[in-house]
């Protein structure tokens, strides 16, 4: 009961991988020391449980579609002799070396319970390294395709996780319990193959790449130009060097070559939050119960693609209210280009103005219930009867200008979180219910 150990070993096979790499082998081990059971802890009555833990384990991932190690063909249409004909074209480059993606994780933790269990704490530090990442790596377009599925690179995650449970008030008629979940994670790409070349994963916006995988940067890094504002009338000569007019959007020329192009792209944000937290509270008063969850996410960016469509396409698309702050000779210090009714204006470079603060506090779940007394239930011959009302997504406090900061319109893309290309608003749900047990 004082010293704990466990060891396991997995052998997993998958037909998704190449012939000689179908099997992956993943060991794990864990140790525990219940310090509170030692003789020198017997006189410390206010500590009920104190345990140190350490573990190491490996797991594998096969999160790819089937047959990625094999060549494939896809269909297309051509016009032959004046009529449409179906043809086969190469659809995928084979990779006979494709194998399991492997994650190795080390965890050190502590479990603590004090004051008769009124306060309990679980805290963990973890370090996780994922190698042989399964990614669509770029290949020369002369091959007829743009990417090939490969095991390429590695990424690390390290951080803290904390769970705190408290029984704040405990009386015959009233109880109040709380739970706090807190997480901090720091992510960094360690390498991306032999030359550590940048990878632009899907999704790809119609106007260019917005996500980038780069060594030394976190997954979820956003890529684009830095918008400085708009060109003023006193900058007409300098604007002309960039083929721009006063009132046009002004971008930062990072390499100083007198041109604005892909060479001036840089990392302009990140979709990964600095920290997250959930606070849950439960109140019990006689037969009434009330609980609610608040979710906090801070330090993440969201790409609001609607900014491009509704601000940067004057005369092409409907505009936001922010267009009222567009450039005019009397309002030259603004991020919004001049409105030109007789001439369309179209800037389509992903830039820092599209990035918005995605931090939020969400009223995630609220439940109010009443459980009828046993004496009444006996009269109506029921074992249990409870009525309740609940609300999900009751409110969201955020500076984000879109419908919801917790969004992605690219659900199939592993790196596409936090990209909002005209998403639908998250539903607010109200439920009324009755639980009956006969």
């Amino acid at each position: 009961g004082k010293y704990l150990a466990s060891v396991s070993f997995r052998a997993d096979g998958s037909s998704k991988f190449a012939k000689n790499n179908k099997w992956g082998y993943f060991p794990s081990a864990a140790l525990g020391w219940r310090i509170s059971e030692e003789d020198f802890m017997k006189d410390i009555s206010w500590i009920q449980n104190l345990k140190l833990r350490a573990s190491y384990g490996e797991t594998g991932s096969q999160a790819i579609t089937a047959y990625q190690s094999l060549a494939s063909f896809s269909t297309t249409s051509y016009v032959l002799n004046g009529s449409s004909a179906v043809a086969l074209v190469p659809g995928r480059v084979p990779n006979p070396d494709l194998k399991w993606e492997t994650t190795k994780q080390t965890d050190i933790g502590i479990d603590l319970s004090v004051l008769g269990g009124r306060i309990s704490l679980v805290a963990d530090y973890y370090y996780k390294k994922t190698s042989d990442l399964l990614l669509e790596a770029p290949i020369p377009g002369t091959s007829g395709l743009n990417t090939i599925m490969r095991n390429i690179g590695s990424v690390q995650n390290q951080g803290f996780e904390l769970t705190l449970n408290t029984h704040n008030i405990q009386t015959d008629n009233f109880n109040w319990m709380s739970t706090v979940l807190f997480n901090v994670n720091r992510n960094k790409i360690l390498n991306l193959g032999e030359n550590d070349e940048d990878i632009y994963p899907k999704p790809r916006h119609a106007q260019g790449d917005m996500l980038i995988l780069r060594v030394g940067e976190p997954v979820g890094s956003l890529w684009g130009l830095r918008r400085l504002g708009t060109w003023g009338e006193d900058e007409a000569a300098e604007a002309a060097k960039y083929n721009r007019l006063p009132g046009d959007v002004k971008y930062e020329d990072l390499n100083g070559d007198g041109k604005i192009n892909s060479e001036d792209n840089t990392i302009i944000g990140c979709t990964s939050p600095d920290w997250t937290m959930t606070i849950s509270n439960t109140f019990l008063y006689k037969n009434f119960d009330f609980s609610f969850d608040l979710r906090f996410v801070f330090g993440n960016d969201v790409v609001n693609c609607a900014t491009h469509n509704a601000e940067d396409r004057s005369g092409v698309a409907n505009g936001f209210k922010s267009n009222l702050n567009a450039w005019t000779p009397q309002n030259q210090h603004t991020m919004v280009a001049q409105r030109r009714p007789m001439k369309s204006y179209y800037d389509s470079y992903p830039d820092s103005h599209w990035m918005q603060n995605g931090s939020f506090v969400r009223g995630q779940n609220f439940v109010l219930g009443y459980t009828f007394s046993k004496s009444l239930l006996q009269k109506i011959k029921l074992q249990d009867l409870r009525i309740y009302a609940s609300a999900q997504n009751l409110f969201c406090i955020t500076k984000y200008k879109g419908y919801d900061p917790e969004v992605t319109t690219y659900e199939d893309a592993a790196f596409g979180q936090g990209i909002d290309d005209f998403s639908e608003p998250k539903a607010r749900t109200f439920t009324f219910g009755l639980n009956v047990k006969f």
Side-chain angles (χ1 to χ4, degrees):
K2 297 179 183 179
Y3 314 109
L4 312 171
S6 65
V7 177
S8 68
F9 183 82
R10 292 180 59 91
D12 293 319
S14 173
S15 59
K16 291 183 178 181
F17 299 113
K19 180 178 180 181
N20 297 324
N21 297 316
K22 294 186 182 301
W23 287 91
Y25 304 97
F26 310 108
S28 65
L31 298 173
W33 178 24
R34 295 188 64 191
I35 303 174
S36 55
E37 296 299 313
E38 297 288 356
D39 292 338
F40 59 80
M41 295 290 293
K42 297 301 183 183
D43 294 332
I44 306 178
S45 60
W46 56 276
I47 295 181
Q48 279 66 56
N49 182 47
L50 176 59
K51 178 182 177 182
L52 292 179
R53 298 175 283 102
S55 63
Y56 170 84
E58 299 182 12
T59 57
S61 173
Q62 54 169 330
I64 57 175
T65 56
Y67 314 118
Q68 291 293 306
S69 64
L70 305 176
S72 71
F73 290 91
S74 59
T75 59
T76 187
S77 297
Y78 286 101
V79 177
L80 296 175
N81 299 323
S83 61
S84 177
V86 178
L88 291 176
V89 296
R92 179 171 55 239
V93 179
N95 182 359
D97 299 320
L98 202 62
K99 60 183 179 180
W100 285 84
E101 178 180 297
T102 302
T103 297
K104 302 177 180 179
Q105 179 168 336
T106 301
D107 185 282
I108 299 173
I110 183 173
D111 301 338
L112 176 64
S113 178
V114 300
L115 303 179
R118 294 281 296 274
I119 300 175
S120 62
L121 173 71
V122 178
D124 288 88
Y125 165 78
Y126 61 88
Y127 177 85
K128 180 166 61 175
K129 181 180 179 181
T130 303
S131 304
D132 298 323
L133 294 167
L134 292 166
L135 293 174
E136 292 279 2
I139 56 177
T142 51
S143 66
L145 296 168
N146 296 317
T147 62
I148 180 175
M149 180 63 69
R150 291 181 57 193
N151 295 97
I152 179 173
S154 61
V155 61
Q156 74 173 21
N157 286 275
Q158 59 181 328
F160 295 93
E161 292 180 344
L162 181 147
T163 302
L164 177 65
N165 292 291
T166 61
H167 201 145
N168 308 310
I169 298 176
Q170 186 175 19
T171 67
D172 292 338
N173 291 325
F174 181 71
N175 285 272
W176 172 24
M177 293 83 75
S178 299
T179 298
V180 177
L181 305 175
F182 182 79
N183 175 266
V184 174
N185 182 73
R186 294 294 178 263
N187 171 278
K188 184 168 69 172
I189 297 173
L190 300 178
N191 65 74
L192 287 173
E194 298 176 358
N195 300 316
D196 287 335
E197 295 180 357
D198 295 341
I199 294 178
Y200 303 93
K202 298 176 182 178
R204 178 182 174 87
H205 192 273
Q207 284 71 43
D209 298 295
M210 291 187 294
L211 290 164
I212 184 173
L213 301 181
R214 169 173 286 185
V215 171
E217 300 294 339
V219 172
S221 294
L222 298 168
W223 182 247
L225 300 174
R226 287 180 181 162
R227 186 184 299 203
L228 303 179
T230 49
W231 290 101
E233 291 180 329
D234 58 344
E235 300 175 300
E238 185 179 357
K241 298 178 182 178
Y242 294 93
N243 294 319
R244 295 275 163 159
L245 298 172
D248 288 351
V249 171
K250 181 180 180 181
Y251 299 108
E252 184 174 6
D253 183 5
L254 289 180
N255 59 7
D257 63 355
K259 297 182 292 184
I260 299 297
N261 52 35
S262 60
E263 300 298 322
D264 299 302
N265 285 335
T266 186
I267 292 176
I268 54 178
C270 184
T271 62
S272 300
D274 293 334
W275 59 271
T276 63
M277 181 171 63
T278 299
I279 298 178
S280 302
N281 285 277
T282 299
F283 302 89
L284 304 175
Y285 177 69
K286 294 184 178 180
N287 291 6
F288 289 94
D289 62 88
F290 175 65
S291 63
F292 68 89
D293 302 332
L294 298 178
R295 185 155 177 259
F296 301 77
V297 176
F298 276 80
N300 61 303
D301 294 309
V302 177
V303 182
N304 190 345
C305 298
T307 306
H308 157 65
N309 289 282
E311 281 189 1
D312 300 338
R313 300 172 68 197
S314 173
V316 180
N318 293 330
F320 282 154
K321 182 180 178 181
S322 57
N323 289 332
L324 298 176
N325 191 38
W327 189 98
T328 66
Q330 297 76 33
N331 181 41
Q332 299 191 24
H333 299 286
T334 177
M335 286 287 183
V336 184
Q338 183 183 17
R339 306 295 91 182
R340 298 175 176 130
M342 302 305 294
K343 179 182 179 182
S344 64
Y345 176 85
Y346 203 129
D347 255 329
S348 294
Y349 308 108
D351 68 46
S352 56
H353 185 56
W354 300 13
M355 309 302 117
Q356 295 181 11
N357 186 348
S359 302
F360 66 87
V361 179
R362 187 186 301 281
Q364 191 158 274
N365 192 36
F366 293 76
V367 180
L368 175 64
Y370 180 82
T371 302
F372 289 86
S373 64
K374 294 296 182 182
S375 59
L376 175 61
L377 296 177
Q378 290 175 355
K379 295 179 181 179
I380 58 178
K381 297 182 180 181
L382 292 177
Q383 293 187 26
D384 197 13
L385 178 60
R386 178 175 179 267
I387 58 173
Y388 66 92
S390 68
Q392 288 80 42
N393 189 32
L394 190 60
F395 62 83
C396 185
I397 302 172
T398 182
K399 293 182 179 180
Y400 180 62
K401 297 178 181 179
Y403 283 128
D404 197 300
E406 192 176 17
V407 64
T408 180
T409 52
Y410 296 89
E411 297 179 358
D412 295 333
F415 307 102
Q417 302 299 312
I419 296 182
D420 184 359
D421 196 357
F422 293 98
S423 66
E424 296 180 358
K426 190 183 295 290
R428 181 178 295 121
T429 306
F430 298 93
T431 304
F432 301 90
L434 177 70
N435 293 334
V436 183
K437 185 177 180 181
F438 296 95

